Amino acid sequence: MAGLVIPVEERAALHDLVHRYAACVDERDFAGVARLFADDGVLVLPDPPREFDPVLEHRGPGGVAAALSALDDVPLTAHGITGAVFDPGDDPASARGRIGCVAHHVSPRGGRFADAVWHLRYRDRYVRAEGVWRFARREVRLDLIETREVRASRLGR
């Protein structure tokens, strides 16, 4: 509803939701990520390098967990939320979000480690059920990908 403001405590809960998503991904807790989605929630991912827009749709907590398990081959990730804007949805139990993120994906390459840095934006729709905010839909839109050499990490040099 236009003109409505999301109360501070609800905004804080939405901030927690998006940061918890990033933390769970970095901790490889894909079941934890899946629990952040509504039962009918959808995660829509890009298909780089061919497609930077969200095109691969994964439905329900099982689909979300399965999609993120592709990160099992990436030994280290670090997601940093760079900005978060929340807007009211069509009713008090819904909201929308525009979330900026820089996501590092560190993998071995040629006896060293490389960091594929994704600069991305999440376009989210949230739903509140039984007092808890969940993702109804999360779309990942890539802006650019950089590749950097890693000098040192907890994985080694």
Side-chain angles (χ1 to χ4, degrees), residues 67-157:
L68 292 176
S69 70
L71 290 174
D72 282 337
D73 295 335
V74 181
L76 178 65
T77 60
H79 288 72
I81 304 299
T82 59
V85 175
F86 301 103
D87 295 307
D90 295 330
D91 60 66
S94 67
R96 294 182 312 278
R98 299 180 312 263
I99 313 302
C101 181
V102 176
H104 296 266
H105 304 82
V106 179
S107 298
R109 181 185 287 171
R112 301 189 67 130
F113 289 95
D115 181 8
V117 183
W118 289 18
H119 297 262
L120 58 96
R121 291 171 286 135
Y122 297 108
R123 294 292 188 245
D124 294 338
R125 283 191 293 128
Y126 314 104
V127 62
R128 186 179 55 208
E130 299 177 16
V132 178
W133 286 104
R134 300 269 185 250
F135 292 101
R137 184 176 183 88
R138 173 160 259 207
E139 296 180 353
V140 180
R141 300 177 188 278
L142 277 170
D143 289 324
L144 62 102
I145 299 173
E146 300 176 74
T147 302
R148 303 175 183 173
E149 182 180 324
V150 174
R151 186 180 314 167
S153 75
R154 66 180 170 86
L155 300 173
R157 297 182 188 270

